[in-house]
């Protein structure tokens, strides 16, 4: 048992030297979204902006592997698919899918909510965010009808 514990501690220490997930720089904000209301922006900032903007707040534990790997991956993925700091500049920016993701309960991620209880929205806040996202970005249905 002692040998297994020593090996586990050794692996944990070695993981800290792997550089992936340590780049906590936020790229410049190129172009912001024109929000439908300050309330939508406030709800988005509270529940979504850490992964879907260039204004990520990197918590202290984002420096500890393997958490740093997971956090960095999720932020990179989030920014790639939907980034309000690159609006109109980033080619693939799926703002029209944002409301649907929140509506289905797929966003914010459950793993994010564990560490960020402030991102947990009440039913009323969630509905206000969904409505605000639709007003700001439109919806897939709107685009299908065009």
């Amino acid at each position: 048992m002692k040998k297994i514990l020593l090996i586990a501690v050794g692996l944990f220490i070695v993981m800290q030297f792997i550089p992936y997930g340590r780049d906590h720089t936020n790229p410049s904000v190129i172009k912001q979204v024109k929000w439908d209301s300050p309330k939508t922006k406030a709800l988005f900032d509270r529940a979504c902006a850490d992964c879907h903007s260039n204004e990520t707040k990197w918590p202290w534990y984002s420096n500890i592997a393997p958490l740093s790997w997971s956090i960095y991956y999720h932020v990179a993925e989030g920014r790639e698919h939907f980034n309000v700091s690159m609006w109109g500049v980033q080619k693939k920016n799926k703002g029209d899918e944002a409301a649907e993701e929140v509506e289905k309960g797929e966003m914010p991620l459950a793993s994010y909510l564990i560490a960020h209880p402030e991102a947990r929205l009440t039913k009323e806040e969630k509905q206000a965010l969904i409505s605000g996202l639709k007003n700001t970005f439109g919806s897939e249905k709107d685009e299908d009808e065009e």
Side-chain angles (χ1 to χ4, degrees), residues 6 20 29 31 59 86 94 96 111 113 115 122 137:
L6 285 173
Y20 180 80
V29 173
K31 187 174 178 196
M86 303 286 287
K94 300 180 177 186
D96 59 329
S111 58
L113 293 174
T122 65
F137 303 112

Side-chain angles (χ1 to χ4, degrees), residues 108-141:
L109 295 175
S111 58
Y112 182 78
L113 293 174
I114 291 168
H116 301 272
E118 72 280 0
R120 196 173 305 278
L121 303 175
T122 65
K123 285 183 181 182
E124 294 79 21
E125 290 171 329
K126 184 176 178 181
Q127 200 51 52
L129 178 59
I130 291 166
S131 177
L133 290 170
K134 286 179 180 177
N135 290 338
T136 300
F137 303 112
S139 66
E140 287 183 300
K141 290 177 188 169

Side-chain angles (χ1 to χ4, degrees), residues 23 31 36 61-62 71 97 134 140:
D23 179 14
K31 187 174 178 196
D36 75 316
Y61 53 84
S62 66
I71 293 166
E97 296 175 10
K134 286 179 180 177
E140 287 183 300

